[in-house]
Each structure stands twice: as C-alpha cells, then as structure tokens.
Amino acid sequence: MTDGRRTDSTAGGDGTASASPEPGPGPESASSATTAAAPPGSAPLSTRAREAVLQRIVDRRYAQGARLVEREVAEELGMSRVPVREALRALVAEGLLELLPHSGVRVRRLERADVEHLYEVWEPLTIQASRLAARACAAGDTEGLAALEAALHQAESAAADDEATREVAAHTAFHESMVAMSGNPLLARTMEQLSWQLRLVFGLREEPAHMRAQHAEMYRHIAAGDAEAAAASTLLHVRDSRAVALRSLFGAA
C-alpha cells in the first residue's frame, strides 16, 4: 500500500507554483466566472472558496511551499476573485497560508513544532471524546455507534483499493463521529478549530495498517460502553499517531 503522497503538478522542484506571483488586488476580470449570489441557505462564496482551497491543501493538489495566484485559484474554482481573495486572507490568518513580500501567498510548510503543538492539544480532547462516546453508547446511542462503524468500513474499503486519500478521509470521519457522539457542543466547537490541521497532518503522514486496527479497538470499547478502556486505547492511538507523523514528516519521532 502506498502512503498516499503525491507530487503537485503545478509546483516546481522547490514546491513553489510555476505561475508568476500575483500582484496586489486588481479589478475584476470581465471573463471571470459567474458571481451571482448563492441560493438562500447556502454558504457564502468566500466560505465555499475557503473550504475548496483547504481541501486542495489537504489532498496536496496545493503542495507545501507552493505559491497560490489569486486569479488562477479563482479560475480553477469557477468564482470571481473577490471571494477567493477573502478566503486566502482568512487562511493566512489561520496560519495555513503565509504572505510573501509583494508576491501573494503560499502554502505554509509544516514545522516539527507545529505538529507537536497540534498533538499536545488534540490528545486530551480526543481522549475525552472517546470517554464521552462510550458513555453515550452505554446510554443507548446506536446512531452514533453506527457512524463509527461506517467509518471503519470505509477505511477498510479504501485501504483494499489502495486509495490513501479516501482512507485518510475515513479516519478523519471516525474521529469526527466520535466527537459528535460525545454530545458536548463545547468540545465539538473546540475540535472543529483543529479539524483542518489534523486533516493536513493525516494526509501528509504514512497511513500504516495498524492505525485501522487501533480504531477498531477504540470502537470495541466504545460499543461496550467502557469509558476508561476507550480512553486508554485512544491515548495509545494518539501517541502512536504522533510518532508516525513525526517519523513520516521529519524522519524521527
């Protein structure tokens, strides 16, 4: 099984995009895509643009270190430059993109400290999520348990088809379903702030088979309603995930 790494076809050897840097904001192009307002109830265009750029960062269509040219991103997304500009600014503020002097933005390269800090915050939160999920299951939450089981099956299917990106999405779905099952809205909001950083790290690291086995073990304890066993198995999983991420990205745990 491959580790799911891909080379960004728009990047040069140093990971920067082949297109020239974008100058400061200019007038809208007459040929830009339709800018009609989104239907009532749908997400604003800037939010949709942000999520689309995030997804491309996570699945490495936009490689670490690659320059993003506002005009080209807008054309790719079929949007005008205004919502794309807002989305790129938001992602700079969130730390996933960084400004380049007089030359637009680029995808920020992960440093070892970034990964270590992320796991330091994620570990206690996801352990508590597993504990609360087990208690919810003991109280009769069969819907949440079904979502966990579905994520396990999706990961197995993706691994069998050697589709690393889909497997990463399934593993992410498992953790997000566990948080949803916890029934704690404050925990859910806090974890949502980490969501894209986690997806990025999960997508960049190797995805060894024992990660699926660890999720299955967590599931068994949650299904049994054993909160402390679920928490203990989650702690082992997060610690192992951290070691795998550091080894995959930086050569040592």
Side-chain angles (χ1 to χ4, degrees):
M1 174 180 165
T2 63
D3 65 4
R5 300 184 185 187
R6 303 192 311 207
T7 302
D8 189 276
S9 59
T10 65
D14 63 351
T16 58
S18 57
S20 58
E22 182 76 348
E28 290 294 302
S29 168
S31 62
S32 60
T34 303
T35 61
S42 65
L45 282 176
S46 60
T47 299
R48 289 158 53 192
R50 172 185 170 276
E51 292 175 352
V53 172
L54 277 170
Q55 187 58 53
R56 283 160 173 76
I57 294 172
V58 166
D59 65 23
R60 282 159 289 162
R61 279 177 282 178
Y62 296 161
Q64 290 193 68
R67 287 192 178 94
L68 299 186
V69 180
E70 180 185 292
R71 171 180 46 80
E72 294 178 354
V73 173
E75 290 174 356
E76 181 180 350
L77 300 184
M79 295 182 178
S80 72
R81 289 168 59 176
V82 172
V84 170
R85 185 178 307 141
E86 293 173 358
L88 297 181
R89 286 172 177 166
L91 292 173
V92 168
E94 293 174 37
L96 290 171
L97 300 178
E98 59 185 357
L99 290 172
L100 295 172
H102 312 296
S103 59
V105 299
R106 70 180 173 195
V107 180
R108 186 170 173 268
R109 294 183 184 277
L110 280 178
E111 303 292 341
R112 183 185 181 94
D114 296 323
V115 177
E116 291 177 334
H117 293 160
L118 177 62
Y119 274 91
E120 286 171 358
V121 174
W122 184 49
E123 180 182 298
L125 294 176
T126 198
I127 288 170
Q128 183 64 6
S130 68
R131 185 182 284 116
L132 294 174
R135 291 174 185 169
C137 187
D141 185 356
T142 57
E143 184 177 344
L145 193 64
L148 289 178
E149 186 175 12
L152 289 178
H153 291 321
Q154 290 163 8
E156 291 291 345
S157 173
D161 294 337
D162 200 20
E163 295 184 5
T165 299
R166 188 159 63 91
E167 184 180 354
V168 168
H171 286 315
T172 302
F174 180 88
H175 283 281
E176 291 178 347
S177 295
M178 193 167 65
V179 170
M181 194 176 177
S182 75
N184 185 317
L186 179 57
L187 176 61
R189 288 195 299 272
T190 305
M191 290 289 273
E192 186 177 5
Q193 296 177 25
L194 305 179
S195 175
W196 285 104
Q197 290 93 329
L198 287 168
R199 292 185 192 189
L200 178 58
V201 171
F202 291 169
L204 290 171
R205 72 175 189 195
E206 296 173 353
E207 200 65 23
H210 69 262
M211 290 290 177
R212 297 192 302 277
Q214 289 172 353
H215 279 177
E217 180 73 9
M218 292 159 61
Y219 170 83
R220 284 193 291 272
H221 292 309
I222 291 171
D226 191 335
E228 294 314 311
S233 63
T234 302
L235 172 61
L236 292 175
H237 170 66
V238 173
R239 295 281 174 88
D240 189 49
S241 175
R242 174 187 178 278
V244 169
L246 292 175
R247 185 168 59 249
S248 298
L249 298 175
F250 309 108

